């Protein structure tokens, strides 16, 4: 058999501390590398079984919580806050920063509105000058339509020699 086929079984028997199966024993008898691997794993597990973890100090929990709190605060502060602390401004509250940003946005929007209104006032004055021209052109077109209708009406009345009379 190949070593790689039995590798998992060798590892499981070494971890559990039980005797390896018949196939594994037969393979280890013929393969010294697998036997050394098994013995190495078994001795490692024996050493780990005898090892005991040291007891933590009585202040371990307090220190751990304090350190976690510090790390959490550092994570919450991004690059901007770290940069502000480096230049000496320190910690700023988000409310004044938000108010300042909103004020800047409103100032820019107001400035754009004023600039836009001044450009519109020029175009409105130009449009006021064009209104009479547009009105005269519309009246001229209406006059043409009315004259064509008049011509059609005149042609229709010349064909009928008897005008229609209205009786009451």
């Amino acid at each position: 058999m190949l070593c790689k086929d039995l590798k998992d079984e060798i590892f499981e028997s070494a971890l559990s501390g039980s005797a390896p199966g018949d196939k594994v024993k037969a393979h280890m008898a013929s393969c010294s590398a697998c036997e050394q691997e098994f013995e190495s794993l078994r001795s490692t597990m024996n050493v780990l079984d005898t090892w005991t973890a040291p007891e933590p100090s009585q202040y371990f929990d307090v220190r751990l919580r304090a350190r976690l709190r510090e790390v959490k605060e550092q994570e919450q502060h991004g690059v901007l806050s770290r940069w502000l602390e480096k230049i000496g401004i320190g910690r700023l509250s988000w409310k004044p920063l938000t108010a300042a940003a909103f004020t800047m946005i409103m100032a820019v929007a107001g400035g754009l509105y004023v600039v836009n209104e001044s450009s519109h006032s020029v175009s409105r004055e130009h449009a006021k000058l064009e209104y009479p021209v547009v009105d005269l052109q519309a009246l001229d077109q209406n006059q043409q339509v009315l004259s064509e209708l008049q011509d059609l009406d005149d042609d229709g009345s010349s064909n009928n020699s008897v005008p229609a009379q209205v009786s009451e």
Side-chain angles (χ1 to χ4, degrees), residues 43-55:
S43 64
T44 302
M45 293 309 296
N46 288 336
V47 169
L48 288 176
D49 286 340
T50 60
W51 181 74
T52 58
E55 290 293 322

Side-chain angles (χ1 to χ4, degrees), residues 22-77:
D22 292 334
K23 287 192 267 182
V24 175
K25 280 183 184 178
H27 178 73
M28 286 194 302
S30 64
C31 181
S32 62
C34 288
E35 186 177 6
Q36 284 179 336
E37 184 71 23
F38 177 75
E39 291 301 326
S40 172
L41 287 172
R42 177 137 314 163
S43 64
T44 302
M45 293 309 296
N46 288 336
V47 169
L48 288 176
D49 286 340
T50 60
W51 181 74
T52 58
E55 290 293 322
S57 71
Q58 58 185 356
Y59 300 110
F60 176 77
D61 290 336
V62 175
R63 283 192 230 151
L64 178 65
R65 286 189 193 113
R67 181 69 182 131
L68 288 174
R69 192 170 35 252
E70 289 173 7
V71 169
K72 188 176 179 182
E73 287 176 4
Q74 287 176 355
E75 287 175 1
Q76 287 177 351
H77 299 301

Side-chain angles (χ1 to χ4, degrees), residues 79-92:
V79 175
L80 179 64
S81 63
R82 282 183 273 173
W83 182 75
L84 290 174
E85 286 179 14
K86 283 183 182 179
I87 62 172
I89 295 176
R91 293 186 183 202
L92 293 175

